[in-house]
Amino acid sequence: MRKIIYGGDTETMNGRPISFQFFGAGLSDMIFIPDAEKATATFLRWCRSLPARVQHVVYVHNLEFDMVSFFWDRRVDLVSSRSGEFDFSVDGWRVTGAYGAPTFARITDSGNNRVIMLVDSFSYYRASLAKAAEVFCPTLPKLSAPEGIGT
């Protein structure tokens, strides 16, 4: 199976998700979340937009934080197990993984045409994302914040 690598991030306001960002393989998506209670459906709609018959690997720095945003309206399913493991289905997708150390998820559609792996890059580089960018991408300029974020 072919593999496509992405970077992912979320922004929150007062704990609730307000945007998802994904970058990689010719893709640069900024998705605004007008209703946090529909965050899971919004995230899975993005997953559904990805090419089929491909394994998609999304690296997220500090996934423990961002995973709650991706699955905001299902966050109890992420953290309710004493073991940290979760396994639930929503909108034709199966979501399995662990919330803890390390945090990860495997998301598959019901037809098994898409597999999305969420991987915590903090497990590999234990410093801030800003420090990682400084070390690995020193010439990459910091982008300005999109309009409406943080206001």
Side-chain angles (χ1 to χ4, degrees):
M1 183 178 281
R2 195 168 64 111
K3 214 179 268 189
I4 301 177
I5 309 294
Y6 308 89
D9 194 17
T10 67
E11 299 299 331
T12 62
M13 184 179 293
N14 299 322
R16 301 171 72 81
I18 59 171
S19 73
F20 301 153
Q21 305 91 47
F22 301 99
F23 180 81
L27 174 127
S28 180
D29 289 337
M30 168 73 76
I31 304 165
F32 291 96
I33 314 298
D35 181 356
E37 296 309 316
K38 295 181 181 168
T40 300
T42 302
F43 174 64
L44 293 176
R45 192 169 28 258
W46 178 81
C47 292
R48 196 170 286 112
S49 75
L50 300 174
R53 296 181 220 7
V54 175
Q55 181 178 24
H56 303 277
V57 182
V58 183
Y59 286 93
V60 181
H61 207 65
N62 194 13
L63 180 59
E64 189 173 345
F65 175 85
D66 295 285
M67 185 128 61
V68 171
S69 292
F70 292 142
F71 296 104
W72 178 258
D73 44 308
R74 300 295 299 259
R75 62 193 179 276
V76 172
D77 294 323
L78 297 175
V79 300
S80 60
S81 166
R82 291 187 80 185
S83 70
E85 295 176 26
F86 55 86
D87 186 341
F88 60 93
S89 294
V90 59
D91 296 333
W93 294 84
R94 184 170 181 205
V95 182
T96 60
Y99 188 82
T103 296
F104 64 91
R106 182 173 194 268
I107 305 158
T108 55
D109 66 358
S110 57
N112 289 317
N113 289 323
R114 288 176 191 81
V115 176
I116 294 95
M117 300 290 299
L118 298 179
V119 180
D120 191 354
S121 58
F122 193 74
S123 298
Y124 303 99
Y125 189 80
R126 292 199 159 298
S128 71
L129 196 52
K131 184 66 176 170
E134 182 184 305
V135 170
F136 296 107
C137 310
T139 61
L140 188 66
K142 179 166 177 57
L143 301 176
S144 23
E147 278 189 44
I149 294 215
T151 59

